[in-house]
């Protein structure tokens, strides 16, 4: 089935690292994504990782992929108050010629000053 | 390079009415997908359009329909609105059908059904 699971809430102090976790079900997913959504706004693509990679680093963001366990994580170093938002994990699914994303329910990150 | 733009940003309708939401895809992108995001949930795939034809559909009833125009812009139409249709409707564009390397989302149209 199609299912992406995330924990709903994470609270950290400014300057600490944040780790948001996600599990997915489709082992044939070719890409896995992290999107950020601020209140009242659309989705901003933060980063994505190909399924044949274990890790991807982009400035303060580190994505780790454990394909065996179907586990994806997003680490934000030196978390700032501006990082407060909802973070969505998504896996790609391809059916014929259609590519679509399956999203988790989102993790609300609260950063305390 | 213009991003994905959607209109209107907010609208209120009553049950039973019809609504049309519009999306202009990012320059150079020929594929448009629509997603519904209910409050507190992740987005759910409605359908995708490629070269003016529906190219895949999620678990949504036929009263959700769409169009894509030669300039790759798109419309989402919802007939016989129900209260549960209240949501943020997101449009996303990409370079080609089935490509999931990068999907670029608009800011969304927030629909409230009373």
């Amino acid at each position: 089935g199609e299912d992406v699971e995330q924990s709903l809430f994470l609270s950290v102090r400014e300057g600490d690292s944040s780790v948001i976790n996600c599990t997915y079900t489709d082992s044939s997913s070719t890409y896995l994504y992290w999107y950020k959504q601020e209140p009242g706004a659309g989705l901003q693509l933060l980063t994505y990782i190909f399924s044949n990679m274990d890790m991807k680093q982009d400035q303060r963001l580190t994505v780790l992929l454990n394909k065996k366990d179907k586990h994806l994580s997003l680490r934000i170093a030196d978390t700032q108050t501006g990082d407060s938002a909802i973070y969505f994990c998504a896996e790609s699914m391809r059916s014929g010629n259609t590519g679509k994303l399956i999203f988790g329910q989102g993790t609300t990150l609260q950063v305390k000053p | 390079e213009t991003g994905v733009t959607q209109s209107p940003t907010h609208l209120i309708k009553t049950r039973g009415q019809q609504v049309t939401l519009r999306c202009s895809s990012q320059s150079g992108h020929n594929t448009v997908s629509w997603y519904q995001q209910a409050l507190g949930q992740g987005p759910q795939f409605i359908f995708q359009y490629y070269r003016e034809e529906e190219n895949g559909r999620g678990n949504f009833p036929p009263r959700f329909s769409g169009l894509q125009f030669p300039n790759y812009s798109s419309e989402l139409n919802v007939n016989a609105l129900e209260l549960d249709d209240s949501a943020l409707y997101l449009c996303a564009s990409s370079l080609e059908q089935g490509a999931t390397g990068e999907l670029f989302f608009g800011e969304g149209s927030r629909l409230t059904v009373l």
Side-chain angles (χ1 to χ4, degrees):
Chain A
E2 305 172 355
D3 204 11
V4 176
E5 298 281 342
Q6 299 178 239
S7 52
L8 294 182
F9 187 78
L10 175 66
S11 181
V12 300
R13 293 232 170 255
E14 193 174 18
D16 287 350
S17 291
S18 307
V19 179
I20 302 171
N21 294 301
C22 167
T23 57
Y24 62 98
T25 54
D26 187 356
S27 57
S28 65
S29 291
T30 50
Y31 299 84
L32 294 132
Y33 302 80
W34 286 103
Y35 281 87
K36 176 183 180 183
Q37 187 176 40
E38 299 188 32
L43 298 176
Q44 175 193 355
L45 176 64
L46 283 179
T47 186
Y48 64 93
I49 188 168
F50 295 106
S51 59
N52 62 359
M53 296 170 66
D54 298 324
M55 186 183 87
K56 180 179 179 181
Q57 187 149 5
D58 185 0
Q59 299 182 332
R60 292 191 298 124
L61 305 179
T62 303
V63 178
L64 294 178
L65 174 60
N66 182 328
K67 203 170 177 184
K68 175 177 168 287
D69 294 338
K70 295 180 190 161
H71 182 266
L72 183 73
S73 68
L74 174 70
R75 179 177 180 269
I76 305 173
D78 186 27
T79 313
Q80 303 297 305
T81 53
D83 295 325
S84 292
I86 303 175
Y87 290 80
F88 290 96
C89 164
E91 63 172 337
S92 64
M93 289 203 66
R94 189 156 181 167
S95 174
N97 289 325
T98 303
K100 65 177 181 180
L101 298 186
I102 306 298
F103 286 87
Q105 66 270 52
T107 300
T108 298
L109 175 63
Q110 178 189 69
V111 182
K112 296 179 182 176
Chain B
E1 183 179 86
T2 35
V4 178
T5 57
Q6 293 186 244
S7 63
T9 53
H10 295 81
L11 70 167
I12 300 173
K13 292 284 187 178
T14 55
R15 204 167 43 177
Q17 283 188 312
Q18 179 265 343
V19 70
T20 297
L21 307 177
R22 294 176 178 84
C23 171
S24 293
S25 59
Q26 181 151 323
S27 176
H29 287 185
N30 59 19
T31 302
V32 171
S33 303
W34 286 92
Y35 288 77
Q36 180 197 64
Q37 186 181 17
L39 197 63
Q41 301 295 318
Q44 291 203 336
F45 176 74
I46 304 174
F47 43 52
Q48 183 180 85
Y49 276 83
Y50 172 70
R51 290 188 176 179
E52 303 175 54
E53 292 198 3
E54 188 182 290
N55 179 50
R57 189 178 185 93
N59 190 25
F60 281 82
R63 60 189 184 83
F64 285 77
S65 63
L67 284 173
Q68 187 180 31
F69 301 98
N71 66 355
Y72 305 131
S73 65
S74 177
E75 285 182 356
L76 165 65
N77 299 291
V78 188
N79 293 324
L81 284 167
E82 300 176 1
L83 297 179
D84 285 349
D85 295 333
S86 295
L88 180 68
Y89 288 85
L90 295 163
C91 170
S93 73
S94 56
L95 267 175
E96 59 188 69
Q97 63 175 127
T100 51
E102 289 199 56
L103 232 60
F104 293 89
F105 282 84
E107 296 284 302
S109 293
R110 187 166 296 282
L111 171 65
T112 302
V113 182
L114 302 175

